[in-house]
Amino acid sequence: MNLRNKLLLTAGAIFALNANASIINYDDVIANTYKDTETELVWMDFGVNNGQSYNSVVSQLGAGMAYDGWRLPTLQEVYTMMSNLANLSSVEADFEAPNHLGAGQLYARDFNSNVANGDDSVWEDVFDAIGWNELLTNRVYTRAESLGWFEGEDGLSYVYINDYIDNMADSNRWYDSIQIVDSSNLDFAKDRYGDDTSTLLVLKQQLDETTEVSEPTSLTMLGLALVALGVRRRRKH
């Protein structure tokens, strides 16, 4: 059985089982994380390693490095987490396609109300827990965008999330969306893109409320932020 067919069976099992699954904020144990209560995996929030390329993040996973204690997720773990996040078996999104671009590559969207400060899609609770890479605000809407890289079936792939808030009452209805894109090889982007993207990471060990895990130090994160700022300024010039 090829990997696509295995993922199709896995995706079917996930959607059958995830009625009781939830994504929760796990910041009581380590800052900037969320936990999938079905798999017990603790994930790094979107945006924590913002501004760094995929290769840069991978190079910092070793002992004593910035992301010591973290690891890259497996392909199945990414599909499972995103399926549990969308939770399509328990919520009614306006559009649901569990295999939009191929087996397990879900795409779903759900409208917010078209009222001032409307923010009531079916995923608001999980969006509050997972963080975001970029926040765009204008007169009409505020949009939080989350993009996370992972190693897909055939090279670098990504998950993508939009979270809209209507800033004014008008005829528009902005919709939130959740998507897995694992249908093309994006290895060319491993070193090229870091701004406004993350690399998906999970903790190597399971946690409980008594577990102490060191997060990236303030000094390390400050240094990474300055590097990212320097890259951004060079690109502007």
Side-chain angles (χ1 to χ4, degrees), residues 14 21-49 54 57 61 67 69-86 126 128-132 147-151 157-161 180 198-207 213 215-216:
I14 290 167
S22 63
I23 306 291
I24 65 169
N25 196 320
Y26 214 49
D27 287 349
D28 55 335
V29 175
I30 179 172
N32 302 315
T33 64
Y34 60 98
K35 180 182 179 182
D36 183 338
T37 59
E38 179 182 298
T39 63
E40 298 295 315
L41 290 177
V42 177
W43 296 75
M44 181 178 287
D45 280 358
F46 288 88
V48 175
N49 56 53
Y54 178 86
V57 172
L61 292 174
Y67 301 117
W70 298 86
R71 64 170 174 84
L72 296 173
T74 67
L75 181 61
Q76 183 172 328
E77 287 170 344
V78 173
Y79 276 59
T80 301
M81 181 272 291
M82 288 292 288
S83 297
N84 288 342
L85 192 157
V126 293
D128 287 342
I130 67 175
W132 42 266
L147 189 151
W149 300 111
F150 68 96
E151 280 293 340
S157 300
Y158 65 92
V159 298
Y160 185 72
I161 297 162
I180 297 174
S198 295
T199 296
L200 297 179
L201 296 178
V202 295
L203 282 176
K204 290 181 178 179
Q205 64 185 98
Q206 292 184 355
L207 300 182
V213 178
E215 57 185 297

Side-chain angles (χ1 to χ4, degrees), residues 11-237:
I14 290 167
F15 284 106
L17 291 172
N18 72 356
N20 296 318
S22 63
I23 306 291
I24 65 169
N25 196 320
Y26 214 49
D27 287 349
D28 55 335
V29 175
I30 179 172
N32 302 315
T33 64
Y34 60 98
K35 180 182 179 182
D36 183 338
T37 59
E38 179 182 298
T39 63
E40 298 295 315
L41 290 177
V42 177
W43 296 75
M44 181 178 287
D45 280 358
F46 288 88
V48 175
N49 56 53
N50 223 29
Q52 301 176 65
S53 70
Y54 178 86
N55 280 345
S56 175
V57 172
V58 171
S59 71
Q60 300 175 71
L61 292 174
M65 305 293 284
Y67 301 117
D68 185 6
W70 298 86
R71 64 170 174 84
L72 296 173
T74 67
L75 181 61
Q76 183 172 328
E77 287 170 344
V78 173
Y79 276 59
T80 301
M81 181 272 291
M82 288 292 288
S83 297
N84 288 342
L85 192 157
N87 202 17
L88 299 182
S89 64
S90 297
V91 301
E92 294 185 7
D94 290 300
F95 177 82
E96 301 179 358
N99 303 298
H100 185 63
L101 295 175
Q105 295 183 62
L106 70 89
Y107 172 65
R109 62 176 183 263
D110 192 63
F111 279 108
N112 285 312
S113 58
N114 55 341
V115 298
N117 300 314
D119 188 23
D120 58 357
S121 75
V122 296
W123 300 301
E124 294 310 324
D125 290 342
V126 293
F127 288 166
D128 287 342
I130 67 175
W132 42 266
N133 301 117
E134 180 182 24
L135 190 67
L136 173 65
T137 299
N138 58 36
R139 185 176 64 89
V140 179
Y141 61 76
T142 296
R143 178 173 64 88
E145 181 179 75
S146 307
L147 189 151
W149 300 111
F150 68 96
E151 280 293 340
E153 180 182 282
D154 182 30
L156 192 65
S157 300
Y158 65 92
V159 298
Y160 185 72
I161 297 162
N162 266 323
D163 180 16
Y164 279 90
I165 300 173
D166 292 326
N167 291 340
M168 57 186 293
D170 57 20
S171 59
N172 293 310
R173 295 183 67 203
W174 310 103
Y175 60 78
D176 295 347
S177 62
I178 298 176
Q179 186 172 13
I180 297 174
V181 179
D182 187 20
S183 54
S184 59
N185 185 311
L186 299 174
D187 282 348
F188 69 90
K190 282 187 174 181
D191 265 327
R192 187 175 303 179
Y193 297 105
D195 291 357
D196 306 323
T197 67
S198 295
T199 296
L200 297 179
L201 296 178
V202 295
L203 282 176
K204 290 181 178 179
Q205 64 185 98
Q206 292 184 355
L207 300 182
D208 57 39
E209 283 73 8
T210 63
T211 306
E212 293 186 3
V213 178
S214 60
E215 57 185 297
T217 65
S218 299
L219 183 59
T220 299
M221 295 308 294
L222 176 60
L224 294 174
L226 291 174
V227 169
L229 180 60
V231 171
R232 187 185 296 269
R233 284 179 174 173
R234 287 197 297 274
R235 286 179 177 175
K236 287 183 177 179
H237 289 310

